[in-house]
């Protein structure tokens, strides 16, 4: 088995291997060349910080890492790890980390973060064996917003410009890596930021992929909650998209957000753990 950093020329092989690795997964995860490229852009994936496992020249396992900062530390985000079925049970995930962690340290990486399905016990054990620890639970929701709503005299608009200082002041909890402010900026071509205004004042917003119906971020101004603005915003998104909408990686401790989502008709359809590995400062 050969391990080496991935390269842009590996993209077609990566799409094929990714789809094979996740063909029997808990939920459907299949990519085209375009959609995987969009995901990698959103995740800030860096080829030189990512690794592939090759058997007789064929890509049979991979680990994709986005690069950025979190809490003032140089961080990589594991945006996808997979092994094709016939190569499972050989410890390839651990072997890829054994190969890659020294490389990441040499590149100045201070910590690694990832999300993993709560029911994927083998993967969790593998990550824990490397040194990862669970930071928080991340329930994920989807559903349809049913029924009619009274006219709240609200205005909705696709925002071309926004102030992150203002939007972040609406937050009760920090989004995960693939939903954070940098990810939104990275994915401007595929996502829209929809603002909701009451009497000309911005009272809430949501970041939405109109094709998939995924809400990447959403928040209502703390001073304008419990007025139905969030429900109207999600109904507007649902009617615009025309099918079920979803939002992933809600902070498990955000009781108000979770209560809101369930009240408007969305249901939890899977649970993830956010995990963190801190790397030593000196090798």
């Amino acid at each position: 088995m050969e391990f080496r950093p991935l390269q842009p020329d590996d993209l077609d092989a990566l799409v094929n291997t990714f789809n094979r690795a996740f063909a029997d997964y808990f939920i459907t995860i299949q990519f085209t060349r375009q959609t995987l490229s969009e995901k990698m852009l959103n995740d800030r994936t860096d080829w030189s910080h990512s690794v592939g496992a090759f058997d007789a020249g064929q890509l049979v396992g991979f680990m994709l890492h986005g690069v950025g900062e979190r809490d003032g530390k140089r961080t990589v985000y594991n945006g996808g790890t997979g092994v094709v079925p016939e190569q499972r049970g050989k410890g390839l995930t651990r072997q890829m980390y054994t190969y890659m962690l020294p490389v990441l340290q040499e590149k100045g990486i201070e910590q690694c973060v990832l999300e993993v399905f709560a029911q994927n016990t083998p993967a969790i054990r593998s990550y824990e064996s490397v040194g990862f620890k669970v930071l928080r639970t991340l329930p994920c929701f989807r559903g349809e917003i049913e029924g009619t709503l009274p006219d709240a005299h609200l205005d909705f608009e696709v925002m071309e410009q926004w102030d992150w200082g203002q939007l972040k002041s609406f937050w009760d909890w920090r989004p995960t890596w693939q939903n954070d402010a940098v990810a939104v900026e990275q994915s401007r071509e595929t996502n829209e930021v929809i603002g909701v205004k009451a009497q000309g004042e911005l009272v809430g917003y949501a970041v939405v992929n109109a094709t998939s119906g995924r809400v990447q971020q959403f928040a209502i101004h703390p001073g304008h909650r419990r007025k139905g603005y969030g429900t109207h915003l999600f109904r507007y998104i649902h009617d615009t998209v025309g099918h079920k909408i979803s939002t992933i990686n809600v902070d498990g401790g955000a009781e108000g957000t979770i209560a809101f989502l369930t009240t408007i008709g969305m249901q939890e359809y899977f649970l993830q753990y956010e995990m963190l590995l801190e790397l030593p400062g000196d090798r």
Side-chain angles (χ1 to χ4, degrees), residues 6-224:
L6 291 169
Q7 303 170 358
D9 289 345
D10 294 318
L11 180 58
D12 287 332
L14 180 60
V15 172
N16 179 62
T17 304
F18 205 124
N19 290 340
R20 288 179 61 204
F22 286 88
D24 58 351
Y25 210 51
F26 309 111
I27 63 172
T28 302
I29 301 178
Q30 296 288 283
F31 288 100
T32 64
R33 200 175 197 273
Q34 178 179 343
T35 56
L36 183 57
S37 296
E38 290 172 355
K39 171 181 166 53
M40 293 172 69
L41 177 64
N42 181 88
D43 294 346
R44 288 93 87 186
T45 303
D46 187 299
W47 292 101
S48 68
H49 289 68
S50 304
V51 60
F54 294 83
D55 183 28
Q58 299 296 311
L59 182 65
V60 297
F62 59 89
M63 184 177 291
L64 302 179
H65 280 140
V67 182
E69 286 196 2
R70 174 173 165 152
D71 298 328
K73 295 182 179 181
R74 192 70 172 161
T75 304
V76 293
Y77 166 72
N78 184 335
T81 294
V83 175
V84 296
E86 60 269 25
Q87 294 289 343
R88 293 175 188 162
K90 300 179 181 180
L92 280 187
T93 295
R94 185 176 178 84
Q95 291 179 57
M96 285 190 282
Y97 269 118
T98 298
Y99 170 85
M100 202 64 203
L101 288 180
V103 176
L104 296 178
Q105 287 179 257
E106 289 176 359
K107 292 177 177 292
I109 299 301
E110 299 171 89
Q111 59 184 9
C112 307
V113 66
L114 59 82
E115 293 114 36
V116 59
F117 286 96
Q119 66 193 103
N120 192 349
T121 303
I124 294 170
R125 289 176 178 167
S126 180
Y127 294 136
E128 287 177 336
S129 73
V130 176
F132 279 89
K133 296 181 179 180
V134 173
L135 288 180
R136 56 178 170 169
T137 59
L138 301 169
C140 304
F141 295 83
R142 67 181 174 189
E144 298 189 20
I145 315 304
E146 300 178 350
T148 59
L149 297 173
D151 185 3
H153 304 291
L154 299 175
D155 295 314
F156 300 92
E157 65 173 83
V158 176
M159 301 169 63
E160 300 296 332
Q161 302 291 332
W162 52 84
D163 175 3
W164 277 114
Q166 180 186 28
L167 299 188
K168 288 181 179 181
S169 73
F170 294 3
W171 293 1
D172 285 336
W173 48 275
R174 179 176 65 177
T176 56
W177 182 282
Q178 61 182 301
N179 292 332
D180 67 12
V182 179
V184 172
E185 295 292 342
Q186 289 285 102
S187 302
R188 277 179 176 254
E189 291 189 5
T190 55
N191 289 339
E192 293 181 339
V193 179
I194 300 174
V196 53
K197 292 184 176 181
Q199 298 181 337
E201 178 186 359
L202 183 69
V203 296
Y205 79 98
V207 181
V208 185
N209 183 310
T211 301
S212 68
R214 174 167 292 177
V215 179
Q216 194 168 3
Q217 280 186 26
F218 67 95
I220 299 296
H221 187 293
H224 292 281

